[in-house]
Structures are given as structure tokens and as C-alpha cells.
Amino acid sequence: MKAFFALPIFGVTLTLMAYFLSGKLKEKFDFVIFNRVLVSAILIIAVLFIFNIDFETYNNGAKYISFFLGPSVVALGVFLYEKLEEVKRDLKIFLISVFVGGIVGIISVVLFLVLLNAPEIISRSLAAKSVTTPIAIEITKITEGIPEITAGIVIITGILGNAFGPVVLHKLGVKNKKAVGTALGTGAHGIGTARAFEISASAGTYSGLAMCFNGIITALLAPYILAWLLSFTQ
Amino acid sequence: MLKSLIYIFCFLFLGELIHYFLAIPIAGNIIGMLLIFLALFFKIIKLEDVKPASDFLVKYLVVFFIPYGVGLMVYANIIAAYWIPVSVAVILSTLLSIYVTGAIYQKLDKK
């Protein structure tokens, strides 16, 4: 039976079916917690547990799906080019905000982890926690963390930002819609962007662009910021 | 569709090539993303040549990282052992980053 589950078609079909079902569930219950990646992953893990299949066996097929992460990151460059036109007027303040907010995100997560005595491997896995999952996974490979931990925490970060970001911003007096959009994309990537689109179309566009820019900024700087912060712990 | 997919793959290939030979700490696909952006910006390639495949890939982006989400099950014990520092760091850092970004934007936008 194990040889059967090791066939690539098993992992591929299971992943696509879980994603399809997560969409049906999302239609019925429109809560943040019914995030499609989260629901899909839980469904798949449940199937693997029931049939006593290990991750490696599942990944024989699933790796053909995750292969497409690479090309889809390249596709984000096309998305970035298309949408850039829409923020042209505010480009300077947009870039400054995303740059500072992105760096604050990297430094603060590593600093808190170091202060709370979490092992170095966790800091290496979470430095890129605010950026979109495909980019975060690649950054973690460079910083020598564990990409699977990154993927899980990035999704949780997105859900947090989606659920609480707008409330916190409102309470602290940030009411400008473009500012809210930019903030959600910078701190909570695509899942935050989904919430920004609920606020307004322009907030959503700013959020999507902020997600791309923070992805680039974090990819360029996170390895160096991480090395610098970790050098104090040795 | 096929032509645009070939374009995307070529840029990814180029990015991986640069990453491999220059040994810089930036992933090949991120280099590919920057290159395709620059190529569009400087009108070296046309948007309609790459748009079909790129729209498809962006639309189904989340499907492609589901296997990594599943892979978390292998490392669940590490997260469970350090759930307090991880939760504190992730919650505070996420809200801090969101607030700082929004506050700076709002402040600069007023001028």
C-alpha cells in the first residue's frame, strides 16, 4: 500500500482536491480562520494520519506542485510592473513606508525571539515571516532555517494581520485608506491584502504592491540583518 | 499561454544561473522576478507576451505552497516546544510592523 501512496499522482491529486474542498468551505463559512492554505493543509494532514502515510511519501507527488512556487515568484514581478502605474503619484512615501515597516518587521521578530531565548534555528526560520510565502520560503533556504516552519508561521502572521491589523491601526489613529492598505501588505502579505481589498479597491492595490516590495526588500536585507543580530548572541 | 510560460521559465532559469554562478545570498526566483520586472520596465519584453501564464500562476499561488504547510507536521514538535516565544514574537512583530508602516505613510501623506 505504501508503494501505491508513493506514486506522484497521489500527492498531486490529494493536494488539488484539498484545495478545491477548502474553496467550498470558504464559501459556506467566510471567516479568516478558514484560510484556504490552512484548511487544505489540515485536510491533507488528516488523510495522511488516517492512512498512516509519512510526509516524504506524500511529497513524492506534492513536490511537483511546490515546483511551481519558483515560476510564480517570477510572475509576481509581472504583477508588480502592471500595478506600479497605480501608485506612481505616491511612489516616494509608499516606498519609504514599506522599507521602514519591512525592516522593523525583520528586526523585531528576531529580537523578540533572541530575548525570549528561542533557539537560533527558529530565528533563522522566522526572519522573513511578514512576506508572501513563496518568497519567505526562498529566504529561509538562504538563511538556513526550516522552510516548513516558515510556511506555517507566515500563514499565521497573515491571519493575525488580517484579523487584527485594521482594528489596531484604527485604535492608534491610522485612518488613511492607502496607509492601511500599505501597512497590511507590508506586515501580512497576501492574506492582509485580501482584507485590504474589503476596505477599498485602492487599499487592496496598495497592499498587493506593498507585499511585492516588502518581499524584495526582505529578500535583499534579511540575510544580513539576521547575521548581524545573531552575532550579538555568540 | 505556452509562449508566456516559456518566458517565465527562461527568466527563472536566468535567475537561478546568476544565483549559482555569482553565489549571492538572493534566491534565483527572486532574481528572476527582479529581471522580468526590469525587462518590462525598459520595454525589452512586452506585457502581453508574459501576462497569460503570469496571471495563471499568481491566481493559483496559494496552491503551490500547500505542500510546505503540510510539511509543518514534521516540525510540529519544535514549534510546540517553543510556542510561547514564537507566539509573543510573531504577534508583537506583526502588529508593530503594520503600525509603523501605516503611521509613516499617513504622516508623510499629509504634507
Side-chain angles (χ1 to χ4, degrees):
Chain A
M1 204 59 187
K2 192 173 154 61
F4 173 75
F5 290 128
L7 293 174
I9 192 64
F10 170 73
V12 169
T13 312
L14 179 62
T15 309
L16 293 181
M17 274 174 59
Y19 181 72
F20 178 76
L21 280 174
S22 74
K24 292 282 162 207
L25 213 63
K26 182 92 185 168
E27 278 172 24
K28 277 221 165 76
F29 311 97
D30 194 18
F31 307 126
V32 204
I33 198 75
F34 282 88
N35 169 271
R36 293 190 70 176
V37 180
L38 196 66
V39 171
S40 305
I42 290 169
L43 287 172
I44 293 165
I45 290 173
V47 171
L48 299 186
F49 261 106
I50 292 168
F51 294 98
N52 197 19
I53 304 162
D54 58 23
F55 177 73
E56 292 307 317
T57 309
Y58 159 75
N59 206 31
N60 271 330
K63 68 179 179 218
Y64 293 103
I65 290 190
S66 34
F67 164 77
F68 283 96
L69 273 183
S72 60
V73 170
V74 175
L76 282 177
V78 179
F79 172 86
L80 184 64
Y81 170 77
E82 256 192 298
K83 302 287 175 187
L84 197 66
E85 196 63 32
E86 298 179 44
V87 295
K88 235 174 189 169
R89 271 184 316 126
D90 308 311
L91 194 60
K92 204 171 151 192
I93 54 175
F94 173 79
L95 288 179
I96 295 171
S97 316
V98 177
F99 186 78
V100 178
I103 288 180
V104 165
I106 305 168
I107 293 179
S108 61
V109 73
V110 177
L111 214 55
F112 284 128
L113 287 170
V114 168
L115 291 176
L116 294 167
N117 288 319
E120 196 178 299
I121 189 79
I122 294 191
S123 298
R124 291 187 180 279
S125 308
L126 299 194
K129 64 122 188 41
S130 276
V131 308
T132 187
T133 316
I135 296 181
I137 286 170
E138 293 305 327
I139 296 172
T140 295
K141 288 179 189 164
I142 302 271
T143 58
E144 295 169 333
I146 300 168
E148 286 80 2
I149 291 183
T150 308
I153 299 297
V154 164
I155 294 161
I156 290 166
T157 298
I159 292 173
L160 271 171
N162 178 306
F164 303 111
V167 192
V168 171
L169 286 169
H170 192 84
K171 283 255 193 293
L172 295 172
V174 179
K175 284 163 188 163
N176 179 324
K177 281 182 182 166
K178 288 176 182 172
V180 173
T182 306
L184 289 175
T186 304
H189 53 93
I191 304 175
T193 300
R195 180 66 186 267
F197 269 112
E198 289 170 11
I199 296 167
S200 78
S202 79
T205 304
Y206 276 63
S207 187
L209 269 176
M211 170 186 91
C212 287
F213 267 115
N214 193 25
I216 296 171
I217 290 162
T218 306
L220 298 179
L221 298 179
Y224 299 102
I225 294 178
L226 185 72
W228 175 65
L229 287 173
L230 290 178
S231 70
F232 293 111
T233 63
Q234 267 129 38
Chain B
M1 183 69 170
L2 184 66
K3 188 180 168 194
S4 57
L5 198 61
I6 292 171
Y7 264 106
I8 301 261
F9 278 8
C10 283
F11 273 94
L12 178 57
F13 185 80
L14 200 61
E16 294 290 3
L17 209 66
I18 291 172
H19 173 75
Y20 185 82
F21 283 105
L22 296 186
I24 41 176
I26 305 168
N29 54 14
I30 292 162
I31 300 173
M33 170 175 79
L34 292 170
L35 290 177
I36 206 166
F37 172 79
L38 292 173
L40 285 163
F41 191 80
F42 291 109
K43 317 266 181 234
I44 298 165
I45 56 170
K46 286 193 291 253
L47 182 61
E48 61 262 32
D49 284 342
V50 289
K51 197 170 158 56
S54 100
D55 281 354
F56 175 82
L57 290 167
V58 171
K59 185 178 175 197
Y60 291 107
L61 190 64
V62 296
V63 181
F64 308 139
F65 54 78
I66 290 173
Y68 279 96
V70 177
L72 188 64
M73 73 188 224
V74 179
Y75 301 97
N77 53 345
I78 300 183
I79 293 292
Y82 296 99
W83 72 274
I84 295 175
V86 169
S87 311
V88 172
V90 169
I91 292 171
L92 292 181
S93 162
T94 302
L95 296 178
L96 189 67
S97 163
I98 287 177
Y99 173 67
V100 168
T101 312
I104 292 177
Y105 192 104
Q106 181 164 280
K107 201 165 181 81
L108 295 175
D109 202 25
K110 273 179 188 150
K111 284 172 192 161

